């Protein structure tokens, strides 16, 4: 947008107005850089997160102009991240929770040349419905066995032209598109976010949920073990503390010979064993 312009296209004006209003309405302002995202990824997210999140796709220059005029704590710190086609996400949820939700809502997408396969690409045996012709050569080059039957190309048997982690070339991507096979898992992650005037970078918002869950489980177990050892009674450990105390009392009773209904048999068995041991020693004793 040029400095000497006095009017702008209606769409840009609407986007500009949204960016003036939404940062004041929501607690969190997040940014996605669209160069890493396909537009087909956004629609399912809009449906899934409807009512919790607002998505606004905008050009960087419009965004810069809007953010420069806003009086929102920390909002100008986001200006350096406004490069190319971007999308704002406005919400009241934590950016960490939002990033986890985005990671959970991954979708499988059609491949483009140069994409990396997210799974083993299995092409099943079936009638492709494609007429014979140049496509036969493309199937052959992709390592997919074919035959012609009833005027169409059939895939002769299940095949795996590319395994997980392999690169998909343009010809194979074209074939997979025609067969409606989607081998690329695509997700969205936040590039940056602002919450209560504090800016978070992309790496700071990545949370390994399983790792954190395991850490909490380990910490809980260690805390329970420590409380049991220290006899610090809680609702979680009282049964174990009482069990440990009971076992200790039983052992002390047996060791000291203090009879109770629970220990008398073991005390008598111990005494009997000791008496037999003494008798055996006395029998084998030879005076000097």
């Amino acid at each position: 947008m040029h400095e000497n312009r006095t009017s702008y296209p209606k769409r840009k004006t609407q986007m500009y107005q949204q960016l003036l209003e939404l940062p004041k309405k929501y607690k969190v302002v997040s940014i996605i850089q669209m160069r890493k995202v396909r537009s087909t990824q956004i629609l399912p997210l809009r449906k899934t997160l409807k009512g919790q999140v607002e998505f606004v796709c905008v050009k960087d220059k419009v965004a810069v102009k809007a953010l420069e005029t806003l009086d929102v704590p920390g909002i100008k710190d986001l200006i350096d991240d406004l490069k190319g086609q971007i999308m704002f996400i406005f919400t009241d949820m934590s950016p960490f929770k939002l990033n986890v939700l985005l990671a959970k809502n991954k979708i499988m997408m059609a491949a483009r040349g140069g994409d990396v396969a997210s799974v083993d690409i299995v092409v099943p045996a079936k009638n492709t419905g494609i007429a014979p012709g140049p496509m036969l050569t493309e199937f052959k080059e992709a390592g997919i066995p074919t035959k012609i039957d009833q005027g169409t190309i059939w895939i002769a048997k299940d095949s795996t032209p590319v395994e997980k982690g392999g690169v998909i070339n343009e010809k194979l991507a074209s074939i997979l598109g025609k067969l409606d096979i989607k081998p690329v898992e695509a997700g969205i992650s936040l590039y940056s976010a602002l919450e209560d005037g504090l800016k978070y970078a992309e790496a700071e918002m990545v949370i390994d949920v399983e790792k954190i869950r395991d850490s909490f489980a380990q910490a809980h177990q260690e805390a329970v073990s420590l409380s049991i050892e220290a006899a610090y009674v809680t609702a979680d450990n009282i049964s174990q503390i009482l069990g440990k105390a009971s076992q200790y009392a039983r052992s002390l009773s047996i060791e000291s010979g203090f009879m109770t209904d629970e220990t008398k048999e073991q005390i008598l068995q111990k005494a009997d064993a000791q008496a037999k041991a003494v008798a055996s020693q006395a029998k084998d004793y030879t005076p000097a």
Side-chain angles (χ1 to χ4, degrees):
M1 298 192 303
H2 303 291
E3 294 297 328
N4 59 351
R5 290 185 62 175
T6 58
S7 63
Y8 303 95
K10 182 178 179 180
R11 176 60 182 156
K12 284 188 177 182
T13 302
Q14 290 174 336
M15 290 189 296
Y16 178 79
Q17 193 60 37
Q18 280 184 300
L19 291 182
L20 291 180
E21 297 170 358
L22 292 176
K24 299 175 183 178
K25 178 181 177 182
Y26 292 97
K27 295 178 181 179
V28 174
V29 181
S30 304
I31 294 174
I32 295 173
Q33 292 194 334
M34 294 299 288
R35 69 173 182 271
K36 300 179 181 180
V37 181
R38 300 181 192 175
S39 58
T40 49
Q41 294 174 249
I42 303 299
L43 184 58
L45 286 173
R46 287 184 186 273
K47 293 180 179 178
T48 301
L49 300 175
K50 186 177 181 180
Q52 304 178 69
V53 168
E54 283 197 49
F55 294 86
V56 178
C57 193
V58 61
K59 294 287 186 180
D60 55 353
K61 292 182 180 179
V62 175
V64 169
K65 191 170 182 66
L67 266 56
E68 284 177 340
T69 64
L70 277 171
D71 184 21
V72 174
I75 197 72
K76 292 177 177 60
D77 293 338
L78 295 177
I79 290 177
D80 289 341
D81 299 330
L82 306 179
K83 300 170 184 176
Q85 187 75 18
I86 57 176
M87 175 169 283
F88 281 90
I89 298 181
F90 298 95
T91 182
D92 285 329
M93 76 173 70
S94 157
F96 301 97
K97 179 180 179 180
L98 176 59
N99 220 21
V100 170
L101 286 177
L102 292 176
K104 286 183 177 180
N105 284 278
K106 294 181 179 179
I107 59 174
M108 299 305 293
M109 301 184 64
R112 294 175 178 172
D115 281 346
V116 175
S118 302
V119 294
D120 289 346
I121 299 177
V122 178
V123 180
K126 66 174 185 178
N127 180 5
T128 67
I130 300 172
M135 282 297 296
L136 276 173
T137 303
E138 294 188 20
F139 275 106
K140 183 177 180 180
E141 291 176 351
I144 302 173
T146 58
K147 62 181 180 180
I148 298 175
D149 189 9
Q150 301 175 12
T152 59
I153 299 174
W154 287 65
I155 298 172
K157 62 178 181 179
D158 292 358
S159 61
T160 306
V162 174
E163 295 182 344
K164 180 179 179 179
V167 177
I168 304 168
N169 61 41
E170 289 187 13
K171 288 186 177 180
L172 179 58
S174 175
I175 291 172
L176 296 176
K178 289 179 173 63
L179 298 176
D180 196 29
I181 295 175
K182 299 177 179 179
V184 178
E185 186 180 59
I188 294 174
S189 61
L190 302 180
Y191 182 73
S192 62
L194 184 73
E195 181 181 29
D196 296 328
L198 183 61
K199 180 184 175 183
Y200 297 100
E202 185 174 16
E204 294 173 317
M205 293 182 286
V206 176
I207 297 178
D208 188 331
V209 176
E210 291 300 322
K211 185 177 180 180
I212 291 176
R213 183 182 289 116
D214 291 343
S215 296
F216 272 112
Q218 182 180 352
H220 175 264
Q221 186 56 52
E222 290 174 354
V224 170
S225 299
L226 179 60
S227 67
I228 293 171
E229 188 64 29
Y232 183 86
V233 177
T234 70
D236 290 332
N237 66 22
I238 186 169
S239 297
Q240 291 153 295
I241 288 177
L242 291 176
K244 181 182 177 182
S246 175
Q247 183 59 45
Y248 179 77
R250 183 179 288 104
S251 298
L252 181 60
S253 169
I254 294 169
E255 186 65 27
S256 64
F258 183 85
M259 287 193 181
T260 68
D261 289 340
E262 294 180 355
T263 63
K264 61 185 179 182
E265 289 186 10
Q266 291 167 287
I267 291 174
L268 291 174
Q269 289 173 357
K270 179 183 177 184
D272 181 61
Q274 290 174 337
K276 288 179 179 178
V278 171
S280 176
Q281 291 176 356
K283 181 178 178 181
D284 297 335
Y285 175 73
T286 303

